[in-house]
Amino acid sequence: MNLDLKSRINNNLERNFQEVENGLSAQEALEEASRCLYCYDAPCIEACPTGIDIPSFIKKIASGNLKGSARTIMMENPVGASCSRVCPTEELCEGSCVLNHSTKPIMIGNLQRYATDWAIKNEQALFKAGQKNGKSVAIIGGGPAGLSAARELALLGYKVTIFEAEKEAGGLNTYGIVSFRLPQSVSFWEVEQVQSLDVEIRTNTRVGVDIQPKDLVDNYDAVVLAIGMATVPYLGIEGEEVEGVLDAIDFVKATKSNPLSDQYIGKRVAVIGAGNTAIDAATCSVRLGAESVSIVYRRTAEEMTAYPFEFEFAKQEGVEFRWLTAPKRILLDEKENIKSLECVKMDLGEASEDGRRRPVVVDRSEFLLDVDIVIRAIGQSRYINLIKQFGLNHKDGVVTIDQETFQTSNESVFACGDVIFGKGQGEAMVVSAAQQGKLVAYQIHKKTSELASETV
Ligand code: SF4
Protein backbone atom coordinates (compact mmCIF):
# COMPACT_ATOMS: atom_id res chain seq x y z
CA MET A 1 0.00 0.00 0.00
CA ASN A 2 1.24 3.48 -0.80
CA LEU A 3 2.61 5.24 2.28
CA ASP A 4 0.60 8.38 1.76
CA LEU A 5 -2.66 6.40 1.79
CA LYS A 6 -1.49 4.48 4.87
CA SER A 7 -0.82 7.66 6.81
CA ARG A 8 -4.18 9.14 5.75
CA ILE A 9 -6.05 6.02 6.95
CA ASN A 10 -3.98 5.99 10.11
CA ASN A 11 -5.02 9.56 10.88
CA ASN A 12 -8.62 8.48 10.67
CA LEU A 13 -8.44 5.51 13.03
CA GLU A 14 -9.58 7.50 16.06
CA ARG A 15 -12.48 8.90 14.09
CA ASN A 16 -13.37 5.42 12.79
CA PHE A 17 -13.88 4.25 16.35
CA GLN A 18 -16.19 7.05 17.39
CA GLU A 19 -19.81 6.05 17.88
CA VAL A 20 -21.52 5.36 14.54
CA GLU A 21 -25.09 6.19 15.49
CA ASN A 22 -25.95 9.73 16.47
CA GLY A 23 -28.41 10.02 19.30
CA LEU A 24 -31.74 11.80 18.86
CA SER A 25 -31.80 15.59 19.13
CA ALA A 26 -34.06 17.12 21.80
CA GLN A 27 -36.63 17.97 19.14
CA GLU A 28 -36.55 14.47 17.62
CA ALA A 29 -36.86 12.86 21.04
CA LEU A 30 -39.83 15.03 21.92
CA GLU A 31 -41.59 14.30 18.64
CA GLU A 32 -40.95 10.56 18.93
CA ALA A 33 -42.07 10.47 22.56
CA SER A 34 -45.28 12.26 21.57
CA ARG A 35 -46.14 9.48 19.08
CA CYS A 36 -46.35 6.88 21.88
CA LEU A 37 -49.90 5.81 22.76
CA TYR A 38 -48.90 5.02 26.39
CA CYS A 39 -50.75 1.74 26.05
CA TYR A 40 -52.45 0.17 29.02
CA ASP A 41 -51.06 -3.42 29.27
CA ALA A 42 -48.27 -2.25 26.98
CA PRO A 43 -46.85 -5.20 25.00
CA CYS A 44 -43.46 -3.47 24.82
CA ILE A 45 -43.03 -3.93 28.60
CA GLU A 46 -43.81 -7.63 28.27
CA ALA A 47 -41.23 -7.94 25.49
CA CYS A 48 -38.44 -6.33 27.52
CA PRO A 49 -36.57 -9.05 29.46
CA THR A 50 -36.02 -6.60 32.33
CA GLY A 51 -39.62 -5.31 32.21
CA ILE A 52 -38.77 -1.60 31.89
CA ASP A 53 -41.91 0.53 32.20
CA ILE A 54 -41.48 1.82 28.66
CA PRO A 55 -44.60 4.02 28.34
CA SER A 56 -43.71 5.64 31.66
CA PHE A 57 -40.13 6.53 30.68
CA ILE A 58 -41.33 7.79 27.31
CA LYS A 59 -44.01 9.94 28.94
CA LYS A 60 -41.36 11.47 31.23
CA ILE A 61 -39.31 12.41 28.15
CA ALA A 62 -42.38 14.05 26.66
CA SER A 63 -42.92 16.06 29.85
CA GLY A 64 -39.24 17.08 30.13
CA ASN A 65 -38.54 14.95 33.22
CA LEU A 66 -35.32 13.38 31.91
CA LYS A 67 -33.91 12.40 35.28
CA GLY A 68 -37.17 10.61 36.11
CA SER A 69 -37.07 8.92 32.73
CA ALA A 70 -33.47 7.70 33.20
CA ARG A 71 -34.39 6.51 36.69
CA THR A 72 -37.35 4.49 35.39
CA ILE A 73 -35.07 2.80 32.84
CA MET A 74 -32.16 2.14 35.16
CA MET A 75 -34.40 0.95 38.01
CA GLU A 76 -35.39 -2.09 35.98
CA ASN A 77 -32.16 -2.45 34.03
CA PRO A 78 -28.92 -1.47 35.81
CA VAL A 79 -27.13 -1.57 32.43
CA GLY A 80 -29.95 0.18 30.58
CA ALA A 81 -27.66 2.78 28.98
CA SER A 82 -25.58 0.07 27.30
CA CYS A 83 -28.68 -1.92 26.37
CA SER A 84 -30.16 1.11 24.59
CA ARG A 85 -27.28 0.62 22.13
CA VAL A 86 -26.80 -3.14 21.95
CA CYS A 87 -30.23 -4.71 22.48
CA PRO A 88 -31.89 -6.31 19.44
CA THR A 89 -34.84 -3.94 19.93
CA GLU A 90 -36.51 -5.00 16.68
CA GLU A 91 -36.90 -8.47 18.18
CA LEU A 92 -37.86 -7.22 21.65
CA CYS A 93 -39.66 -4.02 22.66
CA GLU A 94 -39.91 -2.34 19.26
CA GLY A 95 -40.91 -5.60 17.63
CA SER A 96 -43.97 -5.75 19.88
CA CYS A 97 -44.99 -2.07 19.70
CA VAL A 98 -48.65 -1.79 18.65
CA LEU A 99 -47.70 0.84 16.09
CA ASN A 100 -46.12 -1.90 13.96
CA HIS A 101 -49.69 -2.58 12.80
CA SER A 102 -50.34 0.97 11.58
CA THR A 103 -47.38 3.30 11.03
CA LYS A 104 -43.95 2.40 12.42
CA PRO A 105 -42.86 1.33 15.89
CA ILE A 106 -41.70 3.83 18.46
CA MET A 107 -37.89 4.12 18.50
CA ILE A 108 -37.74 2.81 22.05
CA GLY A 109 -34.01 2.08 21.99
CA ASN A 110 -33.17 5.57 20.77
CA LEU A 111 -35.45 7.17 23.38
CA GLN A 112 -33.86 5.01 26.07
CA ARG A 113 -30.48 6.21 24.88
CA TYR A 114 -31.66 9.83 24.85
CA ALA A 115 -32.74 9.70 28.52
CA THR A 116 -29.69 7.78 29.77
CA ASP A 117 -27.29 9.93 27.71
CA TRP A 118 -28.80 12.95 29.45
CA ALA A 119 -28.13 11.33 32.84
CA ILE A 120 -24.55 10.49 31.83
CA LYS A 121 -23.87 13.98 30.50
CA ASN A 122 -25.33 15.59 33.60
CA GLU A 123 -23.50 13.19 35.95
CA GLN A 124 -26.64 12.11 37.70
CA ALA A 125 -26.54 9.60 40.56
CA LEU A 126 -29.93 7.95 40.27
CA PHE A 127 -30.21 5.73 43.38
CA LYS A 128 -29.33 5.56 47.05
CA ALA A 129 -28.14 2.45 48.91
CA GLY A 130 -30.65 0.80 51.22
CA GLN A 131 -30.16 0.77 54.97
CA LYS A 132 -27.52 -1.87 55.79
CA ASN A 133 -29.01 -5.18 56.92
CA GLY A 134 -25.77 -6.70 58.24
CA LYS A 135 -25.49 -9.27 55.45
CA SER A 136 -22.73 -9.49 52.89
CA VAL A 137 -22.51 -10.91 49.37
CA ALA A 138 -19.45 -11.62 47.22
CA ILE A 139 -19.98 -11.31 43.48
CA ILE A 140 -17.43 -12.80 41.14
CA GLY A 141 -17.40 -10.89 37.89
CA GLY A 142 -18.32 -7.25 37.30
CA GLY A 143 -20.05 -7.67 33.95
CA PRO A 144 -23.76 -6.99 33.25
CA ALA A 145 -25.04 -9.89 35.42
CA GLY A 146 -22.70 -9.16 38.34
CA LEU A 147 -23.34 -5.41 38.28
CA SER A 148 -27.07 -5.96 38.13
CA ALA A 149 -27.04 -8.35 41.10
CA ALA A 150 -24.79 -5.91 43.00
CA ARG A 151 -27.07 -2.94 42.35
CA GLU A 152 -30.21 -4.74 43.54
CA LEU A 153 -28.50 -6.19 46.61
CA ALA A 154 -27.09 -2.76 47.54
CA LEU A 155 -30.58 -1.25 47.28
CA LEU A 156 -31.78 -4.00 49.62
CA GLY A 157 -29.11 -3.11 52.21
CA TYR A 158 -26.45 -5.77 51.56
CA LYS A 159 -22.74 -5.07 51.81
CA VAL A 160 -21.58 -6.11 48.36
CA THR A 161 -18.06 -6.78 47.12
CA ILE A 162 -17.41 -7.46 43.45
CA PHE A 163 -14.24 -9.37 42.54
CA GLU A 164 -13.22 -8.44 39.01
CA ALA A 165 -10.24 -10.00 37.21
CA GLU A 166 -9.84 -7.15 34.72
CA LYS A 167 -8.47 -3.66 35.27
CA GLU A 168 -11.97 -2.21 34.91
CA ALA A 169 -15.44 -3.55 35.66
CA GLY A 170 -18.23 -3.69 33.08
CA GLY A 171 -17.34 -7.01 31.41
CA LEU A 172 -18.59 -7.37 27.87
CA ASN A 173 -19.86 -3.77 27.83
CA THR A 174 -16.43 -2.43 28.77
CA TYR A 175 -14.22 -4.74 26.71
CA GLY A 176 -16.24 -6.92 24.36
CA ILE A 177 -18.44 -4.66 22.21
CA VAL A 178 -16.75 -2.37 19.69
CA SER A 179 -16.37 1.30 20.69
CA PHE A 180 -18.19 2.55 17.62
CA ARG A 181 -21.34 0.78 18.89
CA LEU A 182 -20.78 1.11 22.63
CA PRO A 183 -18.22 3.59 23.95
CA GLN A 184 -16.52 2.63 27.22
CA SER A 185 -17.72 5.85 28.86
CA VAL A 186 -21.28 4.46 28.86
CA SER A 187 -20.25 1.26 30.60
CA PHE A 188 -18.07 3.16 33.09
CA TRP A 189 -21.03 5.34 34.06
CA GLU A 190 -23.08 2.22 34.80
CA VAL A 191 -20.23 0.89 36.94
CA GLU A 192 -20.11 4.22 38.80
CA GLN A 193 -23.86 4.04 39.45
CA VAL A 194 -23.29 0.73 41.22
CA GLN A 195 -20.18 1.94 43.07
CA SER A 196 -22.07 4.99 44.32
CA LEU A 197 -24.22 2.58 46.37
CA ASP A 198 -21.22 1.66 48.54
CA VAL A 199 -20.47 -1.43 46.46
CA GLU A 200 -16.78 -2.25 46.62
CA ILE A 201 -15.22 -3.35 43.33
CA ARG A 202 -11.87 -5.11 43.69
CA THR A 203 -10.42 -4.99 40.18
CA ASN A 204 -7.32 -6.92 39.04
CA THR A 205 -8.41 -9.63 41.47
CA ARG A 206 -8.67 -13.18 40.18
CA VAL A 207 -10.73 -15.56 42.26
CA GLY A 208 -8.98 -18.91 42.37
CA VAL A 209 -5.59 -17.19 42.18
CA ASP A 210 -5.55 -14.05 44.36
CA ILE A 211 -8.38 -15.17 46.60
CA GLN A 212 -9.70 -18.67 47.14
CA PRO A 213 -13.32 -19.73 46.49
CA LYS A 214 -13.53 -21.33 49.92
CA ASP A 215 -12.67 -18.02 51.62
CA LEU A 216 -15.57 -16.35 49.82
CA VAL A 217 -18.04 -19.13 50.62
CA ASP A 218 -16.96 -19.13 54.28
CA ASN A 219 -16.90 -15.36 54.79
CA TYR A 220 -19.96 -14.08 52.93
CA ASP A 221 -23.64 -14.85 53.42
CA ALA A 222 -23.91 -15.67 49.71
CA VAL A 223 -21.71 -15.83 46.63
CA VAL A 224 -22.79 -14.93 43.10
CA LEU A 225 -20.89 -16.51 40.24
CA ALA A 226 -21.15 -14.12 37.26
CA ILE A 227 -17.85 -14.89 35.55
CA GLY A 228 -19.07 -15.00 31.97
CA MET A 229 -17.09 -16.98 29.44
CA ALA A 230 -13.40 -17.28 28.60
CA THR A 231 -11.30 -17.20 25.45
CA VAL A 232 -12.21 -18.32 21.92
CA PRO A 233 -11.26 -21.98 21.36
CA TYR A 234 -8.76 -22.98 18.72
CA LEU A 235 -10.07 -23.98 15.30
CA GLY A 236 -8.23 -27.30 15.36
CA ILE A 237 -6.64 -26.76 11.97
CA GLU A 238 -3.06 -26.90 10.74
CA GLY A 239 -1.06 -23.66 10.89
CA GLU A 240 -3.11 -21.83 13.51
CA GLU A 241 -0.34 -21.49 16.10
CA VAL A 242 1.26 -18.48 14.36
CA GLU A 243 1.11 -14.85 15.45
CA GLY A 244 -1.35 -13.70 12.78
CA VAL A 245 -4.15 -15.93 14.12
CA LEU A 246 -6.07 -13.95 16.70
CA ASP A 247 -8.76 -14.52 19.31
CA ALA A 248 -11.72 -12.24 18.42
CA ILE A 249 -12.37 -11.35 22.06
CA ASP A 250 -8.75 -10.28 22.61
CA PHE A 251 -8.76 -8.44 19.31
CA VAL A 252 -11.82 -6.33 20.15
CA LYS A 253 -10.60 -5.84 23.72
CA ALA A 254 -7.28 -4.46 22.46
CA THR A 255 -9.13 -1.77 20.50
CA LYS A 256 -10.90 -0.73 23.71
CA SER A 257 -7.88 -0.92 26.02
CA ASN A 258 -4.86 0.21 23.99
CA PRO A 259 -4.10 2.92 21.42
CA LEU A 260 -5.47 1.84 18.04
CA SER A 261 -2.90 -0.12 16.06
CA ASP A 262 -1.94 0.68 12.46
CA GLN A 263 -0.73 -2.89 11.81
CA TYR A 264 -4.01 -3.90 10.12
CA ILE A 265 -3.96 -1.19 7.47
CA GLY A 266 -4.02 -2.78 4.03
CA LYS A 267 -4.31 -6.32 5.42
CA ARG A 268 -6.66 -9.06 4.18
CA VAL A 269 -8.60 -10.53 7.07
CA ALA A 270 -10.70 -13.69 7.42
CA VAL A 271 -12.97 -13.99 10.45
CA ILE A 272 -14.12 -17.52 11.27
CA GLY A 273 -17.65 -17.67 12.73
CA ALA A 274 -20.84 -15.64 12.36
CA GLY A 275 -21.99 -14.55 15.80
CA ASN A 276 -22.06 -11.00 17.17
CA THR A 277 -18.40 -11.21 18.19
CA ALA A 278 -17.44 -12.29 14.68
CA ILE A 279 -19.28 -9.28 13.30
CA ASP A 280 -17.52 -7.03 15.80
CA ALA A 281 -14.12 -8.46 14.85
CA ALA A 282 -14.93 -8.00 11.14
CA THR A 283 -16.18 -4.42 11.42
CA CYS A 284 -13.26 -3.56 13.72
CA SER A 285 -10.90 -4.86 11.03
CA VAL A 286 -12.58 -2.67 8.43
CA ARG A 287 -12.27 0.38 10.66
CA LEU A 288 -8.63 -0.42 11.42
CA GLY A 289 -7.97 -0.06 7.71
CA ALA A 290 -8.04 -3.68 6.45
CA GLU A 291 -8.08 -3.93 2.66
CA SER A 292 -10.63 -6.77 2.66
CA VAL A 293 -12.57 -8.62 5.35
CA SER A 294 -14.38 -11.93 4.86
CA ILE A 295 -16.55 -13.79 7.30
CA VAL A 296 -16.16 -17.52 6.78
CA TYR A 297 -19.10 -19.54 8.09
CA ARG A 298 -19.86 -23.20 7.63
CA ARG A 299 -23.63 -22.76 7.63
CA THR A 300 -25.90 -20.17 5.96
CA ALA A 301 -27.24 -16.72 6.88
CA GLU A 302 -30.32 -18.44 8.32
CA GLU A 303 -28.32 -20.25 11.00
CA MET A 304 -25.99 -17.41 11.96
CA THR A 305 -26.40 -16.21 15.53
CA ALA A 306 -25.53 -12.54 14.91
CA TYR A 307 -28.43 -10.14 15.35
CA PRO A 308 -30.00 -8.96 12.05
CA PHE A 309 -29.01 -5.34 12.73
CA GLU A 310 -25.38 -6.43 13.26
CA PHE A 311 -25.49 -8.39 9.98
CA GLU A 312 -26.85 -5.36 8.12
CA PHE A 313 -24.19 -3.13 9.65
CA ALA A 314 -21.39 -5.52 8.60
CA LYS A 315 -22.70 -5.61 5.03
CA GLN A 316 -22.79 -1.80 4.94
CA GLU A 317 -19.20 -1.74 6.17
CA GLY A 318 -18.17 -3.85 3.19
CA VAL A 319 -17.64 -7.18 4.97
CA GLU A 320 -17.92 -10.12 2.58
CA PHE A 321 -19.80 -13.23 3.76
CA ARG A 322 -18.68 -16.65 2.59
CA TRP A 323 -21.49 -18.99 3.55
CA LEU A 324 -21.21 -22.78 3.62
CA THR A 325 -17.45 -22.49 3.88
CA ALA A 326 -15.17 -23.97 6.52
CA PRO A 327 -11.47 -23.34 7.14
CA LYS A 328 -9.28 -26.38 6.53
CA ARG A 329 -5.70 -25.17 7.11
CA ILE A 330 -3.62 -22.02 7.23
CA LEU A 331 -0.76 -21.83 4.76
CA LEU A 332 2.40 -19.95 5.69
CA ASP A 333 5.18 -18.44 3.64
CA GLU A 334 8.87 -19.10 4.27
CA LYS A 335 8.93 -16.41 6.99
CA GLU A 336 6.04 -18.07 8.85
CA ASN A 337 3.63 -15.29 7.87
CA ILE A 338 0.11 -16.24 6.85
CA LYS A 339 -0.17 -16.56 3.09
CA SER A 340 -3.65 -18.01 2.63
CA LEU A 341 -6.50 -19.86 4.22
CA GLU A 342 -7.46 -23.14 2.60
CA CYS A 343 -11.22 -23.53 2.80
CA VAL A 344 -13.66 -26.24 1.86
CA LYS A 345 -17.27 -25.89 0.75
CA MET A 346 -20.01 -27.31 2.98
CA ASP A 347 -23.53 -28.53 2.51
CA LEU A 348 -26.28 -28.81 5.11
CA GLY A 349 -27.30 -32.34 6.06
CA GLU A 350 -29.74 -33.76 8.62
CA ALA A 351 -30.78 -31.68 11.63
CA SER A 352 -28.80 -32.41 14.80
CA GLU A 353 -30.07 -32.43 18.41
CA ASP A 354 -30.20 -28.63 18.62
CA GLY A 355 -32.51 -28.56 15.58
CA ARG A 356 -29.90 -26.99 13.28
CA ARG A 357 -28.90 -28.79 10.11
CA ARG A 358 -25.44 -30.30 10.37
CA PRO A 359 -22.82 -28.99 7.92
CA VAL A 360 -21.11 -31.67 5.83
CA VAL A 361 -18.00 -31.32 3.70
CA VAL A 362 -18.41 -31.25 -0.07
CA ASP A 363 -15.77 -33.56 -1.52
CA ARG A 364 -12.93 -32.02 -3.50
CA SER A 365 -14.25 -28.47 -3.05
CA GLU A 366 -11.10 -26.97 -1.51
CA PHE A 367 -10.05 -23.47 -2.54
CA LEU A 368 -7.61 -20.84 -1.30
CA LEU A 369 -8.48 -17.47 0.19
CA ASP A 370 -5.52 -15.07 0.19
CA VAL A 371 -5.33 -13.56 3.67
CA ASP A 372 -2.79 -12.04 6.05
CA ILE A 373 -4.75 -12.39 9.28
CA VAL A 374 -7.22 -14.99 10.58
CA ILE A 375 -9.50 -14.18 13.52
CA ARG A 376 -11.17 -16.98 15.47
CA ALA A 377 -14.74 -16.18 16.52
CA ILE A 378 -16.32 -19.59 17.00
CA GLY A 379 -17.81 -19.11 20.45
CA GLN A 380 -16.09 -19.05 23.82
CA SER A 381 -14.64 -21.62 26.16
CA ARG A 382 -15.54 -21.80 29.86
CA TYR A 383 -13.78 -21.16 33.14
CA ILE A 384 -14.00 -24.83 34.01
CA ASN A 385 -11.10 -24.75 36.50
CA LEU A 386 -12.76 -22.07 38.61
CA ILE A 387 -16.12 -23.87 38.46
CA LYS A 388 -14.33 -27.01 39.64
CA GLN A 389 -12.58 -25.09 42.42
CA PHE A 390 -16.05 -24.15 43.67
CA GLY A 391 -17.00 -27.81 43.32
CA LEU A 392 -20.15 -26.98 41.32
CA ASN A 393 -22.09 -29.29 39.05
CA HIS A 394 -21.82 -28.27 35.41
CA LYS A 395 -22.22 -29.56 31.88
CA ASP A 396 -19.08 -28.77 29.85
CA GLY A 397 -18.62 -25.57 31.84
CA VAL A 398 -22.28 -24.49 31.85
CA VAL A 399 -23.07 -24.29 35.55
CA THR A 400 -26.19 -26.22 36.52
CA ILE A 401 -28.74 -24.16 38.44
CA ASP A 402 -32.19 -24.55 39.89
CA GLN A 403 -34.21 -22.67 37.24
CA GLU A 404 -36.31 -20.89 39.85
CA THR A 405 -33.75 -19.99 42.51
CA PHE A 406 -30.54 -19.73 40.43
CA GLN A 407 -28.87 -21.79 43.17
CA THR A 408 -26.03 -24.04 42.08
CA SER A 409 -25.19 -27.43 43.57
CA ASN A 410 -23.72 -25.44 46.49
CA GLU A 411 -26.73 -23.70 48.05
CA SER A 412 -24.63 -20.68 49.11
CA VAL A 413 -23.51 -20.09 45.53
CA PHE A 414 -25.85 -18.57 42.93
CA ALA A 415 -25.02 -18.18 39.26
CA CYS A 416 -26.19 -15.89 36.46
CA GLY A 417 -25.17 -14.52 33.07
CA ASP A 418 -23.08 -16.34 30.47
CA VAL A 419 -21.82 -18.90 32.99
CA ILE A 420 -25.30 -20.49 32.94
CA PHE A 421 -25.90 -19.98 29.22
CA GLY A 422 -25.84 -23.08 27.02
CA LYS A 423 -27.06 -26.67 26.96
CA GLY A 424 -30.63 -25.43 26.60
CA GLN A 425 -30.29 -23.19 29.67
CA GLY A 426 -30.19 -19.39 30.04
CA GLU A 427 -30.02 -16.60 27.45
CA ALA A 428 -27.13 -14.94 25.63
CA MET A 429 -28.28 -11.31 25.60
CA VAL A 430 -26.82 -8.55 27.81
CA VAL A 431 -30.35 -7.59 28.81
CA SER A 432 -31.08 -11.18 29.92
CA ALA A 433 -27.91 -11.23 32.03
CA ALA A 434 -29.10 -8.01 33.69
CA GLN A 435 -32.46 -9.56 34.48
CA GLN A 436 -30.87 -12.73 35.86
CA GLY A 437 -28.67 -10.58 38.11
CA LYS A 438 -31.80 -8.95 39.54
CA LEU A 439 -33.53 -12.30 40.04
CA VAL A 440 -30.48 -13.71 41.82
CA ALA A 441 -30.49 -10.72 44.16
CA TYR A 442 -34.17 -11.31 45.00
CA GLN A 443 -33.52 -15.02 45.61
CA ILE A 444 -30.62 -14.24 47.94
CA HIS A 445 -32.81 -11.75 49.78
CA LYS A 446 -35.62 -14.29 50.05
CA LYS A 447 -33.26 -16.93 51.38
CA THR A 448 -31.54 -14.69 53.95
CA SER A 449 -34.91 -13.28 55.08
CA GLU A 450 -36.29 -16.81 55.57
CA LEU A 451 -33.18 -17.83 57.52
CA ALA A 452 -33.47 -14.70 59.68
CA SER A 453 -37.16 -15.39 60.50
CA GLU A 454 -36.31 -19.03 61.36
CA THR A 455 -33.72 -17.90 63.92
CA VAL A 456 -36.03 -15.32 65.63
FE1 SF4 B 1 -45.80 3.18 23.24
FE2 SF4 B 1 -45.57 1.20 21.41
FE3 SF4 B 1 -45.21 0.64 23.98
FE4 SF4 B 1 -47.67 1.25 23.10
S1 SF4 B 1 -46.46 -0.54 22.54
S2 SF4 B 1 -46.67 2.01 25.00
S3 SF4 B 1 -47.16 2.76 21.52
S4 SF4 B 1 -43.95 2.02 22.73
Side-chain angles (χ1 to χ4, degrees):
M1 170 178 284
N2 112 18
L3 280 177
D4 191 38
L5 177 57
K6 182 167 175 168
S7 72
R8 265 190 288 134
I9 295 173
N10 198 9
N11 287 339
N12 285 336
L13 289 185
E14 294 297 333
R15 206 172 59 205
N16 288 349
F17 278 73
Q18 284 167 10
E19 201 166 6
V20 194
E21 299 281 341
N22 290 323
L24 297 175
S25 68
Q27 185 61 29
E28 286 166 338
L30 204 56
E31 283 172 12
E32 190 63 6
S34 309
R35 284 206 310 122
C36 178
L37 305 175
Y38 311 120
C39 306
Y40 182 74
D41 272 346
C44 53
I45 302 178
E46 278 290 306
C48 172
T50 57
I52 293 175
D53 187 344
I54 291 165
S56 172
F57 95 68
I58 293 179
K59 198 164 205 168
K60 285 171 186 161
I61 291 175
S63 66
N65 177 8
L66 293 180
K67 182 170 183 179
S69 179
R71 207 173 178 282
T72 299
I73 295 161
M74 298 297 289
M75 175 54 93
E76 296 305 331
N77 184 349
V79 291
S82 292
C83 283
S84 73
R85 290 162 163 86
V86 304
C87 261
T89 49
E90 71 279 11
E91 290 172 20
L92 301 172
C93 53
E94 291 175 15
S96 69
C97 175
V98 296
L99 292 175
N100 278 296
H101 305 298
S102 50
T103 54
K104 58 181 180 164
I106 297 292
M107 291 190 276
I108 299 170
N110 282 346
L111 288 173
Q112 184 165 320
R113 174 174 165 184
Y114 179 74
T116 50
D117 275 359
W118 179 89
I120 294 171
K121 194 162 158 240
N122 291 282
E123 297 177 0
Q124 297 290 309
L126 300 175
F127 305 102
K128 285 201 178 105
Q131 199 176 356
K132 288 281 180 293
N133 63 11
K135 304 284 181 196
S136 64
V137 178
I139 298 181
I140 307 158
L147 284 175
S148 181
R151 206 287 304 272
E152 284 309 273
L153 287 161
L155 292 183
L156 289 164
Y158 290 79
K159 175 78 191 95
V160 180
T161 307
I162 295 178
F163 297 88
E164 168 58 55
E166 295 289 348
K167 189 167 162 248
E168 306 284 352
L172 185 76
N173 294 349
T174 293
Y175 291 113
I177 297 172
V178 287
S179 303
F180 42 89
R181 298 201 76 75
L182 177 59
Q184 268 187 331
S185 55
V186 176
S187 179
F188 289 161
W189 177 75
E190 289 167 341
V191 172
E192 282 163 20
Q193 291 293 304
V194 175
Q195 270 177 315
S196 73
L197 304 179
D198 194 28
V199 169
E200 183 187 356
I201 305 184
R202 292 193 204 165
T203 52
N204 290 318
T205 306
R206 289 166 302 167
V207 174
V209 177
D210 304 311
I211 186 160
Q212 294 312 310
K214 184 175 182 315
D215 294 334
L216 300 181
V217 174
D218 289 348
N219 294 316
Y220 290 83
D221 292 289
V223 173
V224 178
L225 197 63
I227 54 177
M229 288 194 264
T231 52
V232 180
Y234 284 97
L235 302 166
I237 61 172
E238 185 187 325
E240 71 171 321
E241 306 290 341
V242 294
E243 234 177 51
V245 182
L246 310 174
D247 170 321
I249 303 281
D250 289 343
F251 175 66
V252 172
K253 184 178 166 190
T255 66
K256 297 196 87 172
S257 322
N258 307 323
L260 295 167
S261 169
D262 65 0
Q263 65 177 302
Y264 304 100
I265 295 174
K267 295 287 196 283
R268 299 158 301 176
V269 178
V271 179
I272 317 298
N276 292 315
T277 300
I279 301 272
D280 273 7
T283 53
C284 250
S285 303
V286 171
R287 283 168 178 261
L288 284 168
E291 180 187 293
S292 65
V293 182
S294 303
I295 281 197
V296 173
Y297 183 51
R298 61 195 184 135
R299 291 185 164 100
T300 73
E302 284 192 9
E303 292 85 23
M304 73 188 287
T305 54
Y307 298 142
F309 75 89
E310 292 272 20
F311 179 38
E312 285 308 314
F313 177 63
K315 285 194 289 187
Q316 281 164 21
E317 293 279 288
V319 173
E320 181 192 15
F321 285 79
R322 288 181 174 265
W323 309 115
L324 292 169
T325 304
K328 193 171 173 195
R329 63 180 170 138
I330 294 167
L331 302 172
L332 310 175
D333 65 17
E334 61 289 348
K335 289 184 182 157
E336 296 273 291
N337 292 321
I338 299 174
K339 191 167 70 172
S340 54
L341 178 69
E342 184 177 322
C343 298
V344 63
K345 297 301 289 176
M346 309 295 282
D347 215 342
L348 290 183
E350 296 294 308
S352 52
E353 274 174 16
D354 65 2
R356 298 198 306 169
R357 289 174 65 198
R358 207 188 296 267
V360 284
V361 171
V362 176
D363 284 343
R364 292 188 292 282
S365 63
E366 287 82 358
F367 67 97
L368 291 180
L369 202 57
D370 290 337
V371 295
D372 306 296
I373 291 169
V374 174
I375 304 180
R376 311 190 304 269
I378 53 165
Q380 282 173 265
S381 58
R382 307 282 176 158
Y383 293 110
I384 292 190
N385 275 347
L386 183 55
I387 294 165
K388 280 186 183 161
Q389 280 179 282
F390 272 99
L392 305 178
N393 290 348
H394 68 96
K395 286 183 196 151
D396 300 331
V398 179
V399 170
T400 311
I401 52 156
D402 178 297
Q403 297 294 326
E404 196 186 334
T405 66
F406 288 85
Q407 269 171 311
T408 65
S409 51
N410 178 337
E411 61 173 25
S412 300
V413 181
F414 297 73
C416 52
D418 277 347
V419 75
I420 63 165
F421 168 62
K423 307 282 170 197
Q425 184 181 264
E427 292 272 356
M429 293 182 289
V430 172
V431 66
S432 309
Q435 178 64 6
Q436 289 165 9
K438 281 164 56 188
L439 295 176
V440 160
Y442 305 148
Q443 288 298 329
I444 289 173
H445 189 52
K446 187 170 171 227
K447 185 182 165 214
T448 50
S449 306
E450 281 167 4
L451 283 174
S453 62
E454 277 169 22
T455 51
V456 171

